[in-house]
Amino acid sequence: MKKLATVVIRTFNEARYLDELLSEISKQNTNVVENEVVIVDSGSTDNTLEIAEKHNCRITHIKQSEFTFGRSLNIGCEFAKGDILVFVSGHCIPASVDWLDELCRPIVEQVAVYTYGRQMGRDTTKYSETKHFDKWFPEYSKIPQEGFFCNNANAAVSRESWEKFGFNEELTGLEDMYLAKQLVESGVKIGYVSSAPVYHIHDEPWSKLRTRYEREAYALQKIMPEVHFSFTDFLRFLISGVMSDFAAAIREKLFLKRCVEIVLFRYNHYWGTYKGNHEMRKLSAKQKFHYFYPKDVEKEFYHD
């Protein structure tokens, strides 16, 4: 009898890509697992929920004031019926009809308890981010892998393993790596599955990209406090990142089209990392909210 995999999707105004995502999930081959879809919504004001209902998703909710990535996932996992818990971002699109089976296969075969799949850019993806994806999500699998790198934009974990620790509800990001570290330290394995690809689409302004890397760097201090990112590191990584991307863009005959974007991406990437690494004071509610929601929603929230 096939195991049930629950696909848990966190949503906040994800209407732009959600219909495509849910349509691709409905087309998945189910030779290894059956599936259901659970939506954890944190106050969408677009037609996210109407799209979810059209696709017969089961829906639960979290208040914006209570939201963290870990807490919303824990709510979704508790609501889920599956033996395997699958996580995919609301702006990711499966790139294969075997995506779900392939992502879950190592868990079903007990080769790993937590898996994550390949991420690729699409037509609107910033050039430097495609290079970032190429580095961290290569074309070859590692099952099991060394270390505890993991990414919940495209991942799966056995319910038993999630129940052992749950996701940390205080982190501003990297709740996936925190759980993976706990699991690896307990003696089990993580796996990277290149044959379970998604397109990860980040259509975000530069300020939001910078904030994304800032909150991840802040969270990394909780996971790996020995990691430090100095201003000298900022300059060194900025220069090396820009030069590496420039060289790749020249080879691909995209330099003139992408050169300004490359500089802006790497600046915001590493400046956000530097800021987050040095932001060690306790976050206020307003600061934390800024990490999770756009500025227009933040203003609305704090003026109620």
Side-chain angles (χ1 to χ4, degrees):
M1 183 176 180
K2 288 184 283 190
K3 290 182 179 294
L4 176 64
T6 298
V7 182
V8 178
I9 306 172
R10 297 174 293 204
T11 59
F12 174 71
N13 291 343
E14 293 283 3
R16 183 171 183 180
Y17 297 107
L18 187 62
D19 188 64
E20 185 179 3
L21 166 58
L22 295 175
S23 295
E24 291 302 318
I25 292 174
S26 71
K27 298 174 186 176
Q28 291 296 301
N29 292 330
T30 54
N31 298 316
V32 177
V33 293
E34 300 289 353
N35 73 81
E36 65 164 359
V37 180
V38 161
I39 299 292
V40 185
D41 190 73
S42 56
S44 292
T45 55
D46 61 4
N47 62 333
T48 290
L49 296 180
E50 287 85 349
I51 293 170
E53 289 169 354
K54 181 182 77 171
H55 287 272
N56 298 314
C57 300
R58 297 174 57 231
I59 301 170
T60 188
H61 302 270
I62 181 173
K63 295 179 181 178
Q64 289 181 352
S65 59
E66 297 175 355
F67 180 92
T68 67
F69 293 121
R71 185 173 299 133
S72 63
L73 284 182
N74 285 336
I75 287 173
C77 292
E78 290 167 0
F79 191 65
K81 298 177 181 178
D83 303 300
I84 299 174
L85 306 165
V86 177
F87 313 113
V88 63
S89 169
H91 44 271
C92 284
I93 310 297
S96 164
V97 293
D98 295 314
W99 160 74
L100 185 60
D101 270 3
E102 290 298 301
L103 191 62
C104 295
R105 189 185 302 276
I107 298 174
V108 172
E109 296 178 351
Q110 299 183 333
V111 181
V113 301
Y114 199 177
T115 61
Y116 64 104
R118 190 178 179 197
Q119 296 181 34
M120 306 181 297
R122 212 161 69 163
D123 50 348
T124 60
T125 304
K126 296 175 177 65
Y127 182 82
S128 293
E129 188 142 42
T130 64
K131 300 305 174 187
H132 184 79
F133 288 153
D134 290 344
K135 175 182 178 180
W136 292 104
F137 308 103
E139 295 181 0
Y140 53 89
S141 295
K142 294 175 282 187
I143 311 171
Q145 70 168 29
E146 296 296 324
F148 53 84
F149 177 79
C150 192
N151 192 290
N152 272 347
N154 177 23
V157 66
S158 69
R159 174 175 286 277
E160 180 183 6
S161 296
W162 166 73
E163 287 177 342
K164 189 171 183 179
F165 297 108
F167 286 106
N168 185 295
E169 299 191 355
E170 302 302 319
L171 294 174
T172 55
L174 304 185
E175 76 291 337
D176 35 26
M177 283 181 59
Y178 192 89
L179 176 58
K181 182 180 181 182
Q182 290 176 302
L183 289 170
V184 168
E185 289 176 347
S186 75
V188 295
K189 300 294 185 180
I190 308 299
Y192 168 65
V193 188
S194 65
S195 56
V198 299
Y199 297 110
H200 195 163
I201 308 162
H202 275 133
D203 294 331
E204 58 190 355
W206 296 115
S207 60
K208 194 171 179 183
L209 183 145
R210 184 170 62 251
T211 297
R212 170 157 58 94
Y213 283 107
E214 183 179 336
R215 62 171 173 74
E216 288 183 356
Y218 182 90
L220 187 62
Q221 286 294 289
K222 307 292 185 181
I223 301 169
M224 301 175 67
E226 71 276 11
V227 173
H228 301 286
F229 195 88
S230 67
F231 186 74
T232 301
D233 291 326
F234 160 70
L235 293 175
R236 180 164 58 91
F237 280 95
L238 173 62
I239 293 169
S240 63
V242 167
M243 296 307 294
S244 176
D245 290 349
F246 274 1
I250 290 170
R251 288 194 300 271
E252 297 170 25
K253 298 181 180 180
L254 294 170
F255 178 75
L256 293 179
K257 183 178 180 180
R258 298 292 195 172
C259 60
V260 174
E261 177 196 290
I262 286 170
V263 173
L264 288 172
F265 183 95
R266 291 303 181 184
Y267 170 81
N268 285 285
H269 176 183
Y270 293 121
W271 185 249
T273 300
Y274 171 73
K275 279 190 66 182
N277 186 260
H278 287 266
E279 178 56 77
M280 296 302 294
R281 67 182 182 274
K282 184 177 176 64
L283 289 177
S284 68
K286 186 170 184 177
Q287 287 171 318
K288 186 164 67 174
F289 196 83
H290 172 67
Y291 278 150
F292 298 129
Y293 294 101
K295 287 186 177 180
D296 55 341
V297 180
E298 182 179 332
K299 289 177 182 177
E300 177 184 338
F301 181 83
Y302 282 104
H303 286 84
D304 283 351

